[in-house]
Amino acid sequence: MAKPIILAVDDDVSVLEAVVQDLRRKYGQKHRILRAASGQAALDICKQLKERNEIVALFLSDQRMPGMTGVDFLEAAIPLFPDAKRVLLTAYADTEAAIRAINSARIHYYLNKPWDPPEEKLYPVLDDLLAAWNDGHKPPFEGLQLISPRWSAGDHEVRNFLSRNLIPFKWLDPDKDSTCLQLLCDRGIDDGKLPVVLFPDGSSLIQPTTTELASRVGLRTQARQEHYDVVVVGAGPAGLAAGVYGASEGLHTLIVDSLAPGGQAGSSSRIENYLGFPEGLSGDELGKRAFIQAQRLGAEFLTQRVSNIRTENGYHIVQLADGHEVSCRVCLIAAGVEYCRLSIPGEERFFGAGLFYGAALTEATSCANQEIYIVGGANSAGQAAMYFSKHASQVRMLVRGESLERSMSRYLIDQIQATPNIVVETGTQLVELDGNGHLECLTLTTPTGQVKRSAGSVFVFIGAAPKTQWLPAAIVRDAKGFVLAGPDLKSHAKEAWKLEREPYLLETSVPGIFVAGDVRFGSVKRCASAVGEGSIAIQFVHQYLETI
């Protein structure tokens, strides 16, 4: 951000030069010192500064100037820079006029000339005024700005994408901030086409897709080359671990994910049972650290969605959603899982408009001082409840079972019980959502019967389903979509394995395509085990490469 400005005004050139020198010596490091030889010239400068969105911290103006007095100038400058501090320089004879001007021009201080030495008579006054200005000044945000009503279609998707990728942005809700419409009008954008992302260079994206947004914020959306040793599909804990080990062992490794590093774990507000982090860490933080580590070791990341994999002449061709393709000798599927859907009336209407799956980190601040509901009784739901409890007035956990003991770690149960604004409602199930434009009402079945409650936000953390619909039929899955690999192929789909050798531990029914993490049939749904599988998958990749 540009330095805040101190503007000195005096028609006596020698006096003006002395003022400027004194100001530069004391304040030049943190402020730009500008000068004007008349009140009208100073006013013209102010108008130019306003057009360039620059900030004036303090005006220091002489009173006796031809054409426009100091008081007249300071009064005229108020509409342009109302927060700037205003100091009038006066001769002894003008003291009475200066006192009267404190009301008319809202002058903060007047100084009698001369003020020599400045260390005693000038700087202490300006120090206090500039300190007061700094305390009240909020510098303009110079990064991305997202204009979107909270409940509009696409709002949550854009905010979640920016947040998960650690892109700083300012969210402006036109329902709460009247400046939004003017911002859109200034850029000629239809306020009926939201969300809109405004960039510092004056450009914008209207109702952007995540791929468009990724490209504009500097994420890579096109692979650097056409062929890799290993392509990892998914950047959750398993995929990131595979990227770290693959790249560190000399394999040319590409990791592809449509959202952000961290996978489902990235939406966890706190992981407290991960080895080596006694204070716990957020899923976003874990994802960011692993992402940086993998990049440092040479792995390449691509923000894209994989739409298919096919095998030709011993190579695997990974097709991306934008139509581009990359080939590899080995492919690792680490696409993870997503939270199961409720399948209740109102679900489609209010998805993203009060109903969210996961999303604790993205939506928590929007729920400040509100009562919110969390559906689920496993660790992810407990972590979300603890996180929301710091923002919401009350957190209500809806748990279908009789208690949390069978589904949640003990440390989390203890934390929840010790948190006064978390209420656990067992034997309770959400059966319907209702509202006008956004979620406003819930219907619950409870041990005492069916009840309706007012609610603006519900966060669902129930079960997990694999994201494998895009996989080719040759990659065998169980009835729920989890990918079979290694010994599980022999016991559940023996006929699917065509080679004489046994499949490697994490190898799917297609030789050279491996699977790791939560998407694998029979995997332990824990972050640490996913990291372990992603790491050892690279060992089997090496073994496979030795056979071709």
Side-chain angles (χ1 to χ4, degrees):
M1 189 183 79
K3 293 179 181 179
I5 291 164
I6 297 176
L7 177 59
V9 189
D10 200 309
D11 65 314
D12 186 323
V13 176
S14 60
V15 173
L16 182 61
E17 181 62 29
V19 172
V20 169
Q21 291 302 318
D22 285 343
L23 293 175
R24 283 181 177 161
R25 186 165 64 250
K26 173 69 172 177
Y27 305 108
Q29 200 164 23
K30 295 183 179 179
H31 298 78
R32 282 178 62 202
I33 312 300
L34 300 183
R35 71 181 78 193
S38 71
Q40 186 57 55
L43 200 57
D44 292 340
I45 291 172
C46 288
K47 292 174 182 177
Q48 294 170 10
L49 294 173
K50 187 70 175 179
E51 288 176 359
R52 297 200 298 262
N53 291 320
E54 298 198 59
I55 300 298
V56 176
L58 185 141
F59 294 112
L60 187 64
S61 176
D62 183 41
Q63 166 62 4
R64 291 192 178 186
M65 295 186 294
M68 180 181 287
T69 67
V71 170
D72 292 338
F73 160 67
L74 293 174
E75 194 168 7
I78 290 174
L80 296 171
F81 296 101
D83 298 326
K85 299 301 180 182
R86 293 172 288 278
V87 178
L88 189 67
L89 302 178
T90 68
Y92 183 79
D94 297 323
T95 299
E96 190 173 333
I99 293 172
R100 288 198 305 268
I102 288 175
N103 292 325
S104 62
R106 285 180 270 169
I107 293 170
H108 297 98
Y109 208 91
Y110 71 88
L111 288 170
N112 287 325
K113 297 190 293 184
W115 52 75
D116 191 56
E119 288 77 11
E120 294 179 14
K121 298 184 178 180
L122 176 67
Y123 296 154
V125 171
L126 299 192
D127 284 348
D128 288 345
L129 291 174
L130 289 171
W133 181 85
N134 277 311
D135 288 343
H137 175 62
K138 293 182 179 179
F141 183 77
E142 296 185 335
L144 271 67
Q145 297 184 87
L146 168 63
I147 299 180
S148 177
R150 185 183 177 198
W151 308 121
S152 65
D155 168 66
H156 169 69
E157 183 180 12
V158 174
R159 283 194 290 123
N160 190 46
F161 181 83
L162 293 172
S163 298
R164 290 288 304 276
N165 282 284
L166 307 177
I167 307 295
F169 71 99
K170 183 178 183 180
W171 175 39
L172 302 173
D173 185 343
D175 293 336
K176 298 178 179 179
D177 190 335
S178 59
T179 65
C180 294
L181 296 181
Q182 188 59 51
L183 279 172
L184 295 173
C185 182
D186 291 344
R187 302 200 188 197
I189 298 172
D190 182 357
D191 60 19
K193 295 182 178 180
L194 301 177
V196 169
V197 179
L198 305 179
F199 295 90
D201 64 1
S203 62
S204 60
L205 282 177
I206 300 171
Q207 297 177 336
T209 65
T210 53
T211 302
E212 290 172 334
L213 200 50
S215 180
R216 283 302 311 273
V217 300
L219 302 177
R220 181 168 291 278
T221 58
Q222 300 292 327
R224 288 194 178 96
Q225 55 190 64
E226 296 180 355
H227 181 75
Y228 295 83
D229 293 326
V230 181
V231 171
V232 180
V233 181
L240 290 168
V244 167
Y245 279 84
S248 68
E249 294 175 17
L251 297 173
H252 196 191
T253 304
L254 174 69
I255 304 173
V256 186
D257 196 286
S258 62
L259 180 56
Q264 187 191 35
S267 65
S268 294
S269 53
R270 202 77 180 162
I271 303 172
E272 297 197 60
N273 55 1
Y274 193 81
L275 186 67
F277 292 89
E279 299 301 318
L281 77 167
S282 71
D284 261 355
E285 180 67 17
L286 178 63
K288 180 181 73 173
R289 292 182 182 210
F291 169 76
I292 293 171
Q293 187 177 19
Q295 273 198 321
R296 182 179 63 82
L297 293 168
E300 180 183 336
F301 282 82
L302 202 61
T303 304
Q304 274 280 5
R305 182 174 61 85
V306 176
S307 58
N308 196 16
I309 301 173
R310 69 180 188 274
T311 302
E312 296 179 359
N313 303 319
Y315 289 92
H316 306 295
I317 314 299
V318 178
Q319 184 176 326
L320 305 174
D322 66 354
H324 288 84
E325 297 180 340
V326 292
S327 65
C328 57
R329 293 193 290 172
V330 177
C331 183
L332 174 66
I333 300 165
V337 294
E338 58 186 11
Y339 290 111
C340 294
R341 299 302 174 102
L342 291 167
S343 300
I344 61 173
E347 179 179 32
E348 294 302 321
R349 287 173 58 203
F350 301 113
F351 177 65
L355 173 66
F356 306 96
Y357 290 89
L361 293 174
T362 304
E363 295 292 332
T365 54
S366 302
C367 297
N369 303 317
Q370 299 177 14
E371 181 178 74
I372 65 103
Y373 284 79
I374 289 178
V375 181
N379 277 7
S380 55
Q383 291 160 352
M386 290 302 302
Y387 187 73
F388 275 112
S389 69
K390 301 172 185 176
H391 302 272
S393 59
Q394 188 167 64
V395 178
R396 291 186 175 272
M397 296 187 69
L398 307 181
V399 181
R400 187 170 54 180
E402 295 179 358
S403 70
L404 295 174
E405 272 72 12
R406 293 185 60 183
S407 57
M408 189 179 292
S409 297
R410 186 71 241 176
Y411 79 91
L412 263 177
I413 295 174
D414 293 340
Q415 289 180 2
I416 288 169
Q417 290 175 344
T419 305
N421 65 333
I422 298 179
V423 177
V424 179
E425 301 187 44
T426 57
T428 301
Q429 198 166 347
L430 176 58
V431 295
E432 188 175 357
L433 307 166
D434 202 2
N436 182 18
H438 62 85
L439 180 63
E440 295 175 316
C441 179
L442 307 179
T443 301
L444 311 176
T445 56
T446 73
T448 58
Q450 196 168 92
V451 298
K452 287 185 178 292
R453 293 193 193 157
S454 297
S457 299
V458 173
F459 299 87
V460 181
F461 298 84
I462 55 168
K467 299 182 286 186
T468 56
Q469 301 89 339
W470 57 275
L471 287 174
I475 297 178
V476 178
R477 287 149 279 170
D478 75 348
K480 294 181 179 179
F482 291 97
V483 178
L484 296 168
D488 292 319
L489 277 174
K490 304 291 286 184
S491 58
H492 292 79
K494 187 175 182 179
E495 70 287 349
W497 184 253
K498 307 299 183 182
L499 300 185
E500 292 185 6
R501 69 169 175 84
E502 293 294 304
Y504 296 114
L505 181 64
L506 299 177
E507 193 170 19
T508 71
S509 52
V510 177
I513 296 182
F514 294 79
V515 63
D518 290 358
V519 71
R520 183 180 66 81
F521 173 81
S523 64
V524 178
K525 304 301 188 284
R526 286 288 185 270
C527 185
S529 63
V531 169
E533 287 191 16
S535 304
I536 65 172
I538 298 303
Q539 175 189 344
F540 300 122
V541 168
H542 284 299
Q543 293 179 21
Y544 170 78
L545 291 175
E546 290 174 359
T547 67
I548 60 175

